[in-house]
């Protein structure tokens, strides 16, 4: 490819609507062009990157025994009603009607379709297991599509679905996919960590995410891990050993104390001169739910979370605990409405008659003689113990849940080590679905005795567009992108410094042809621009190798530079060609 013909426009400035480095760089280097919020055109350079990622995914999925098909992007509501997800998927599901008034949606994922595809085709136990995948557009009407390709509304995903007759068979395929995923990301030049995770809208019981760990990431996930035993989990799933932690406020008797305007945990801790972990914090949430089976609206419910003062609520865990579709913290008015009290002083005291669900976090379990709100303005109770809770407070007894966020330094439940935290970008996710879809959709196979059973399923996703963006988050510098060779749009660029110099142009052309003949994907920067402009573009776009043809041709030498290193080597043209060709060849042998 000649740069003069390459359909790309690099920009001098970063776009002002981008926060994530990958987003800024992709726009500035001309890889993507925004059509509307969260929807991008993948320009030729980007398309080359995505093709490479997709091809690696395809090769490794095929190697693992999966088969590729392609399922539709537009889907009928009927299927989603059958699985029960039409009601529960929420606003990310883009719904619409066709000209005949049929309800339809844009595919955010394909569990329903694949289940209907397999059902009636592979009906016998003898045909199973089978694993089918596709690489397809998805649409999720994300609330904040602000990170470019990391969180688009329209994006490309590889998703695979496996069908089994036993849990053992599913387990084996789950492991097989975990191995394939590790290979895929390695081949994309990315190191990933497999972490335990919440199953979210997809459902099922066991799931793991593949995370690209990066400190600079705008990655929205925190990963907790233990260096001692290798435990790793997304913060929405991570647990620490809290149950046996005892904290004692040291108050000698139970009494109600005036605490004028002392509302926050910090203020209370100062006021009483006690640690924050001796205060039982009350946080009021409002949970909303999916419509019921008859399509009737389910009213919102106030949920009061009781959690140790030094801990925070993990909202995904809370949503799972109450079965909510969405939750949010209550407004000041709602605090008055639901608890007849005032923010800063609330608790479960005397609320048994009200329709408020009370949940205690595990962190509260070991608390003694602690402080709680009196649920009356400007008053707190000190020296409180769980035995002081009466039927007027909590109707159905105290129930403990895991609904708090782990904090770095807390104890690993597996081995007693100290948990650490790092930022991560989820690039892949594998799930054991079990019969979550096959049962409601009545998708069955026949066993050796002629009896029917719902398929046992697994599903496995990789964000193709997100993987490319994650690579940029991981590998860039002040000058631009530093693509891993494996997924770079082109392997190399050849830059003649002075295009008015016939000898330089001629040699650059020769090197270009030799590289092409060696199977290298290369750009010849034949533009009449100044060398500085070309170097800047080369760094911004992120070609892994640059061969510069300048004045040193008088000594029979060219400059050879790798994007990831500052070193510039002087080599003969043939040596430079060989260095690039060898690196590309090594890639093919991977
Ligand atoms: P997230 O938690 O980041 O919203 P998810 O867990 O809902 O993602 P999955 O349903 O597990 O996503 O989808 C499989 C993969 O698809 C993810 O691991 C991710 O790589 C990719 N993906 C999901 N949502 C998006 C998006 N909005 N933009 C780009 N890629 C996405
Ligand atoms: Mg996921």
């Amino acid at each position: 490819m000649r740069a003069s013909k390459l359909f790309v426009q690099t920009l001098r400035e970063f776009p002002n609507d981008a926060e994530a480095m990958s987003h800024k760089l992709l726009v500035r280097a001309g890889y993507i062009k925004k059509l509307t919020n969260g929807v991008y055109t993948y320009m030729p350079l980007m398309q080359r990157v995505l093709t490479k990622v997709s091809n690696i995914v395809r090769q490794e999925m095929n190697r693992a025994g999966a088969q590729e098909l392609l399922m539709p992007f537009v889907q009928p509501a009927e299927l989603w009603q059958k699985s029960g997800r039409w009601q529960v998927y929420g606003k990310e599901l883009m719904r619409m009607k066709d000209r005949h008034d049929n309800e339809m949606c844009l595919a955010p994922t394909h569990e329903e379709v694949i289940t209907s595809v397999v059902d009636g085709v592979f009906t016998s136990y003898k045909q199973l297991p089978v694993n089918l995948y596709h690489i397809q557009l998805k649409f999720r009407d994300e609330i904040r599509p602000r990170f470019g390709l990391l969180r688009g509304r329209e994006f490309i995903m590889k998703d695979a679905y496996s069908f089994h007759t036993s849990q053992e068979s599913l387990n084996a395929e789950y492991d097989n996919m975990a191995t394939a995923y590790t290979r895929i990301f390695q081949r994309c030049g990315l190191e990933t960590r497999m972490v335990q995770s919440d199953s979210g809208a997809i459902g099922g019981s066991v799931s793991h995410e593949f995370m690209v760990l990066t400190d600079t990431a705008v990655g929205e996930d925190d990963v907790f891990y233990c260096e001692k035993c290798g435990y790793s989990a997304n913060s929405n799933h991570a647990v620490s050993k809290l149950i046996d932690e005892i904290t004692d406020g040291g108050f000698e008797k139970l009494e109600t104390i005036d605490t004028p305007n002392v509302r926050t945990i910090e203020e209370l801790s100062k006021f009483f001169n006690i640690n924050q972990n001796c205060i039982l914090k009350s946080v009021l949430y409002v949970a909303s739910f999916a419509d019921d089976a008859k399509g009737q609206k389910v009213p919102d419910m106030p949920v009061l979370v009781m959690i140790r003062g030094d801990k925070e609520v993990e909202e995904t865990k809370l949503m799972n605990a109450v079965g909510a579709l969405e939750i949010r913290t209550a407004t000041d008015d709602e605090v008055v409405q639901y608890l007849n009290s005032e923010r800063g002083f609330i608790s479960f005291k005397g609320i048994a008659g009200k329709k408020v669900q009370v949940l205690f976090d595990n962190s509260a379990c070991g608390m003694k003689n602690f402080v709680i709100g009196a649920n009356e303005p400007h008053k707190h109770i000190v020296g409180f113990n769980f035995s002081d809770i009466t039927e007027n407070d909590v109707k159905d007894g105290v129930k403990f849940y895991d609904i708090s966020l782990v904090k770095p330094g807390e104890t690993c439940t597996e081995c007693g080590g100290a948990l650490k935290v790092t930022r991560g970008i989820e690039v892949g996710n594998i799930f054991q679905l079990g019969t979550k879809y096959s049962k409601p959709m009545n998708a069955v196979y026949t066993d050796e005795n002629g009896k029917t059973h719902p398929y046992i399923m697994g599903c496995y996703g990789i964000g193709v567009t997100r993987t490319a963006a994650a690579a940029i988050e991981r590998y860039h510098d002040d000058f631009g992108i530093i693509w891993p060779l494996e997924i770079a749009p082109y392997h190399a660029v050849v830059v003649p410094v002075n295009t008015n110099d016939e000898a330089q142009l001629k040699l650059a052309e020769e090197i270009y042809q030799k590289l092409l003949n060696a199977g290298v994907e290369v750009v010849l920067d034949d533009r009449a621009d100044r060398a500085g402009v070309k170097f800047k573009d080369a760094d911004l776009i992120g070609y892994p190798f640059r061969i510069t043809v300048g004045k040193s041709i008088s000594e029979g030498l060219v400059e050879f530079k790798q994007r990831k290193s500052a070193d510039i080597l002087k080599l003969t043209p043939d040596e430079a060609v060989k260095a690039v060709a060898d690196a590309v060849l090594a890639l093919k042998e991977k």
Side-chain angles (χ1 to χ4, degrees), residues 169-196:
S169 166
L170 170 60
N171 289 346
E173 188 59 15
Y174 194 78
D175 291 346
N176 182 33
M177 283 293 107
T179 309
Y181 272 38
T182 307
R183 286 185 60 97
I184 287 170
F185 295 119
Q186 253 170 19
R187 284 193 54 195
C188 289
L190 282 169
E191 204 182 309
T192 51
R193 187 187 282 251
M194 176 167 148
V195 314
Q196 295 176 16

Side-chain angles (χ1 to χ4, degrees), residues 56-122:
I56 291 172
V57 167
R58 195 170 269 127
Q59 283 164 16
E60 293 302 329
M61 290 302 290
N62 292 347
R63 186 204 297 268
Q67 297 170 61
E68 186 171 4
L69 44 50
L70 184 57
M71 290 179 273
F73 180 53
V74 177
Q75 307 182 352
E78 206 188 320
L79 271 183
W80 287 74
Q81 282 152 351
K82 236 176 161 180
S83 74
R85 276 209 294 187
W86 188 253
Q87 293 85 342
V88 300
Y89 207 94
K91 292 190 177 148
E92 282 180 19
L93 183 64
M94 184 86 164
R95 300 158 207 248
M96 61 204 179
K97 282 189 177 167
D98 69 10
R99 66 200 296 164
H100 303 297
D101 231 18
N102 296 315
E103 287 196 288
M104 315 283 286
C105 62
L106 297 183
T109 170
H110 283 79
E111 284 79 9
E112 281 78 0
V113 175
I114 193 74
T115 305
S116 76
V117 166
V118 172
D119 188 28
V121 178
F122 267 25

Side-chain angles (χ1 to χ4, degrees), residues 142-420:
E142 301 272 357
I143 187 165
R144 278 188 295 275
R146 58 192 167 146
F147 292 141
L149 300 194
L150 285 177
R151 184 167 297 284
R153 291 202 296 165
E154 186 180 279
F155 58 97
I156 299 173
M157 194 203 290
K158 182 287 296 178
D159 47 335
Y161 304 91
S162 66
F163 293 77
H164 308 266
T165 59
S166 71
Q167 180 64 38
E168 293 68 47
S169 166
L170 170 60
N171 289 346
E173 188 59 15
Y174 194 78
D175 291 346
N176 182 33
M177 283 293 107
T179 309
Y181 272 38
T182 307
R183 286 185 60 97
I184 287 170
F185 295 119
Q186 253 170 19
R187 284 193 54 195
C188 289
L190 282 169
E191 204 182 309
T192 51
R193 187 187 282 251
M194 176 167 148
V195 314
Q196 295 176 16
S197 71
D198 170 62
S199 304
I202 304 271
S205 48
V206 176
S207 75
H208 286 85
E209 289 165 345
F210 285 76
M211 294 280 188
V212 172
L213 303 184
T214 152
D215 282 341
T216 59
V218 279
E220 294 155 326
D221 290 292
D222 279 330
V223 176
F224 284 92
Y225 64 98
C226 173
E227 275 172 351
K228 215 167 134 196
C229 71
Y231 169 82
S232 301
N234 189 312
S235 58
N236 63 23
H237 193 79
V239 288
S240 62
K241 205 167 176 183
L242 292 167
I243 301 283
D244 355 313
E245 259 181 40
I246 306 290
T247 64
D248 191 338
F251 296 96
E252 278 169 14
K253 65 176 189 272
L254 180 70
E255 57 181 329
T256 304
I257 308 253
D258 285 335
T259 51
N261 285 318
V262 185
R263 293 166 197 267
T264 64
I265 297 297
E266 219 178 344
E267 289 163 356
L268 280 165
S269 150
K270 273 200 194 127
F271 186 87
F272 289 114
N273 192 24
I274 48 167
N275 283 333
Q276 297 191 353
N277 62 14
C278 297
I279 305 163
L280 185 57
K281 178 161 67 177
S282 314
V283 195
L284 187 66
Y285 282 91
V286 177
S288 46
F289 300 89
D291 293 350
D292 67 14
K294 290 187 197 128
Q296 300 292 314
K297 184 125 192 60
V298 176
D300 287 354
M301 183 177 64
V303 177
L304 183 65
V305 175
M306 305 304 302
I307 183 167
R308 211 172 66 190
D310 60 323
K311 300 279 290 174
E312 301 301 328
V313 178
E314 210 302 312
E315 296 190 349
T316 303
K317 291 182 180 179
L318 177 59
M319 284 205 297
N320 290 343
V322 295
L325 212 54
E326 281 171 16
I327 51 160
R328 57 174 175 81
T329 46
T331 61
D332 287 352
D333 287 347
E334 284 166 334
V335 167
V336 178
Q337 181 193 338
Y338 292 125
L339 295 174
N340 197 19
S341 181
E342 191 180 318
R343 190 186 295 287
F345 309 100
I346 62 173
S347 74
F348 49 73
K349 281 308 289 176
I351 67 160
K354 302 186 194 303
K355 275 200 176 133
V356 179
Q357 191 179 349
V358 187
L359 269 65
F360 290 80
D361 179 56
N362 283 340
S363 62
C365 204
M367 294 178 73
K368 283 183 180 167
N369 303 311
F370 50 90
V371 176
I372 60 165
N375 208 30
E376 280 179 52
H378 307 285
K379 287 184 197 307
H380 280 86
I381 302 173
V382 303
F384 199 91
N385 283 290
F386 279 97
S387 54
D388 298 321
I389 296 177
T390 70
E391 282 197 340
N392 288 334
D393 302 331
V394 185
K395 243 182 324 203
D396 312 320
V398 173
K399 292 194 191 96
F400 289 98
Y401 297 81
D402 168 31
I403 42 179
S404 61
L405 190 61
V406 169
K407 289 204 304 189
E410 288 182 353
T411 308
C412 173
T413 50
E414 311 264 320
C415 75
L419 294 174
K420 290 189 169 175

